[in-house]
Amino acid sequence: MRHFGQPMAAQRTFYLTTPIYYVNAAPHLGHAYTTIIADAMCRYRRLAGDRVYFLTGTDEHGDKIAQAAAGAGEAPQAYADRIASAFRETWNRLGISYDDFIRTTEERHKRVVQAILARLYEAGEIYFGKYGGNYCFGCERFYTDKELVDGKCPDHQTAPTFIKEQNYFFRMGRYQDWLVRYIDERPDLIRPERYRNEVLGFLREPLEDLCISRPRSRLQWGIPLPFDDRYVTYVWFDALINYVSALGQPGEPRRETFWPHAQHLIGKDILKPHGVYWPCMLKAAGIPVYRRLNVHGYWSLGGGKMSKSIGNVVEALALTDTYGHDAFRYFLLREMTFGLDASFSEEALVGRLNADLANDLGNLVSRVTTLIVNVASGVLPAPGPETPQEALVGAALEKTRAEVHAAMEEFAFQRALAAIWEFIGVVNRYVDGTTPWVLARDPARKDRLDTVLYTLGESLRCLSLLLAAFLPNTSLKIRQIIGLGEAPMTLADLTWGKLAPGASVRKAPALFPRVEEKKAVPAESRKAGADRGRVTVADFSKVDLRVAEIVAAEPVSKSRKLLKLTVKVGAEQRIMVAGIAEQYDPAGLVGKKVIVVANLEPATLMGIQSNGMILAASEGGTLSLLTLDRDLPPGSPVK
Ligand code: MSP
């Protein structure tokens, strides 16, 4: 019997756009970040049952595209075709679930741009005038003197070009007071808050009219103005309109369904066009303003030591093929706090892959499936009576579900993932605390074992749903392992107890094999234990604490309590005997990083020489090994 959880919230309509990317450069990390987070958001909203439309595309007109085409010795259209396909292929390879890909050289787009221009011209919103000003070709806009830093464009660090020519202008200045009020009344229109404040800051200066044209004598590569074909429209007036042109003309079903439910997602570099020009253009054209502008920060490249450091953003994107799309996505979503800048490095990516994906998630899936296969022949048992331990897992799921929901309303992907990883931690601790491998040895405790195994299987099902928007490939793998395959799912299924007993569970291949860090072993760790002296309790400061990685673990024969562990401390491997057999499954320990006393006197336990001590906290019979919350190589000192 299926039982249903909460009734579904009313269906929402959600139209999400990425910037349309200039075709003068190959797809790179920055483009990929915006597109990947848009994809995660749209997948999440589809799972929530919302009506979703996801638009991306390419911006193909203007001076810099024409220059790039000339530089490549190609006609602009042929050049734009080639780079636009490269973007589309990149998104397909990365599994981006876009519904539409708009190109500004398409007829459907040009028609809408020209219709809007004609309408504004007739309404007297556009006039012909002369203007001279400082123009940045990188940004494709004029800068006021105040905006320049040391006379240069703050984004491109280049001196602007003074341009003076006759052009068409949009009477944007008229809308200044209206826009300030519009933003004031809508605290959520531009998010996060800092960018809302930045837009209000722009609006404290007088808002100048916007130049929207280029004479064709100087630039051919654009959309001709419907009222003067000696001119083409200028890049922003062309580009911003893609968000409505992709939906068709007014009256067409897609346009009526999705506009104005638009949420735009952009990097902070294009805040002014989206936060100022675009609402004014929409207002003047009689089109309702978008619902929300979501602005993220910038990735910089951190100098990593791991390989020759990544020289540019295209190389950074290539790491998605080296480490897998899900690992790459995870890193981008988890590492950057939405709205703030972050630094990208291969080391940081590998650190997260090893700690969060291989250790926390991958080990959990492999422990659980190995258990169900080994002690229940791969068939998920029906649960016996529940205890408070199971209630804790159910409560953790509920909490995570609510936290993910709240985080996703804010585009706070990093918070959503942190909440999911808390749930993973709860389930990992549940395995440690219920010791199913011990229960399995006692036929009288079969009921208890069944409850534990069911809880674990059900946790994996919930996890596959929680992860679906963020790590789609991994989510599908988990579902296949627990016998659910590609059956449709929705967030409404995120209620406890929906996995039917009897499901067949397979042993999982490692979801995320660990990546060996090629980092040099820190010099200090090579002399671990050698010259720090033996310690007494009073001499605590002399205790040489180190990070160690468990590479093998086995029970000690004739002992209920002891495990023989082989651990790596820096470059050397040692044997340590630890009294944790009642609390830890040997197989689940392999790959864990723990803290050890590296300079302890050797001791012999059950005939085995133990060379160091593994630290664990304990309370009321529960043990908890000290592990790291961020990955560090074995041998790292603990101070
Ligand atoms: N064509 C315009 C946008 C027109 S939208 C109507 C444009 N194109 S772009 O190719 O330069 O892309 C800019 C966008 O790429 C940024 O807003 C951001 O989404 C992404 N990024 C480019 N470099 C980036 C980083 N280093 N870090 C994060 N995102 C960045 O501007």
Side-chain angles (χ1 to χ4, degrees), residues 562-628:
L562 297 181
L563 289 181
K564 177 181 165 192
L565 305 173
T566 311
V567 303
K568 201 156 91 181
V569 189
E572 60 166 319
Q573 288 206 355
R574 307 180 179 192
I575 303 294
M576 294 190 189
V577 178
I580 57 173
E582 287 179 311
Q583 307 269 348
Y584 285 94
D585 170 17
L589 288 171
V590 176
K592 263 205 190 346
K593 299 243 175 101
V594 292
I595 307 299
V596 301
V597 180
N599 60 343
L600 198 68
E601 289 278 12
T604 302
L605 295 153
M606 302 289 281
I608 304 168
Q609 195 187 64
S610 180
N611 229 315
M613 184 167 82
I614 296 187
L615 296 186
S618 76
E619 160 67 22
T622 303
L623 269 183
S624 178
L625 286 176
L626 268 56
T627 56
L628 299 177

